[in-house]
Amino acid sequence: MDTVRELQFGPGMRAERLTEAAFLIAAIFTQDVRFAGVTFVLTLLQVVSPRWAPVAQIVARFVRFRGQHHIGDMYFDLAGSRGACAISLLAQCTCLALIAAGFPITGFVLLTVPTASFLIAPTLGFCAGCWFYVLGRDWFSRRGWLRGGFDDHHDIAVDGQAPRHQPQLRPAPQR
């Protein structure tokens, strides 16, 4: 089994995000922080390594991706997923800290933000955390504060420069 391919194009990461959203929804409606703790741990694992997504790994073992994919439907990206999970982890930390500090209403209301992102990503294909991560990465790269060499960020076209080493990412010629 090609784990990266299964995570990129198979249903595993979608199931992972929906599971994380389900635990956050349970935490919000029951006002029980332990449910949010499960999502916190799942997100923390993915910050360490995007391949440490236990629900996605289990789903990938049973439901294989057999179809054709297009570059536009790629869901899983090592750098983007890790960055998005780091942003989500910061949001969850803030929410859990507010709840622990005695502001449960504010904490649970703000916990709806990562919950919404976990629901929107697999259903609509837009990941807010990935968007913020790529936006920040490109901003640092344009200013020269970030150079190529880690987590595949040198594969991304910045300022309209198409990567030469990956011709499949170049747009088709116009007629």
Side-chain angles (χ1 to χ4, degrees):
M1 176 177 92
D2 183 9
T3 305
V4 172
R5 184 177 189 283
E6 291 294 327
L7 292 176
Q8 281 178 333
F9 304 111
M13 289 306 289
R14 289 171 177 85
E16 179 82 26
R17 296 291 174 253
L18 290 173
T19 302
E20 293 163 347
F23 277 112
L24 288 179
I25 289 169
I28 291 167
F29 283 110
T30 64
Q31 302 287 305
D32 189 354
V33 184
R34 293 177 291 183
F35 289 116
V38 174
T39 298
F40 183 83
V41 170
L42 290 173
T43 309
L44 179 64
L45 286 172
Q46 292 172 72
V47 169
V48 174
S49 173
R51 291 181 182 94
W52 289 5
V55 175
Q57 293 284 351
I58 291 169
V59 170
R61 297 259 183 239
F62 293 107
V63 183
R64 299 293 172 109
F65 176 74
R66 298 191 196 316
Q68 295 292 325
H69 62 81
H70 306 282
I71 195 66
D73 68 357
M74 189 166 86
Y75 180 74
F76 178 80
D77 167 46
L78 288 177
S81 181
R82 190 173 185 187
C85 285
I87 291 169
S88 176
L89 196 66
L90 288 174
Q92 291 175 49
C93 281
T94 303
C95 297
L96 294 175
L98 284 169
I99 293 167
F103 301 102
I105 293 173
T106 306
F108 282 114
V109 166
L110 290 177
L111 200 58
T112 61
V113 174
T115 306
S117 182
F118 285 144
L119 284 172
I120 291 171
T123 56
L124 299 178
F126 173 75
C127 175
C130 294
W131 184 78
F132 280 116
Y133 172 76
V134 170
L135 186 71
R137 181 188 64 196
D138 290 350
W139 186 80
F140 282 115
S141 180
R142 282 190 194 101
R143 279 153 186 74
W145 298 342
L146 187 64
R147 305 237 184 262
F150 75 94
D151 277 349
D152 300 330
H153 88 271
H154 58 279
D155 290 349
I156 306 298
V158 177
D159 290 332
Q161 298 174 356
R164 288 178 174 60
H165 66 284
Q166 291 183 332
Q168 72 272 17
L169 296 181
R170 285 190 231 138
Q174 300 292 324
R175 294 183 192 227

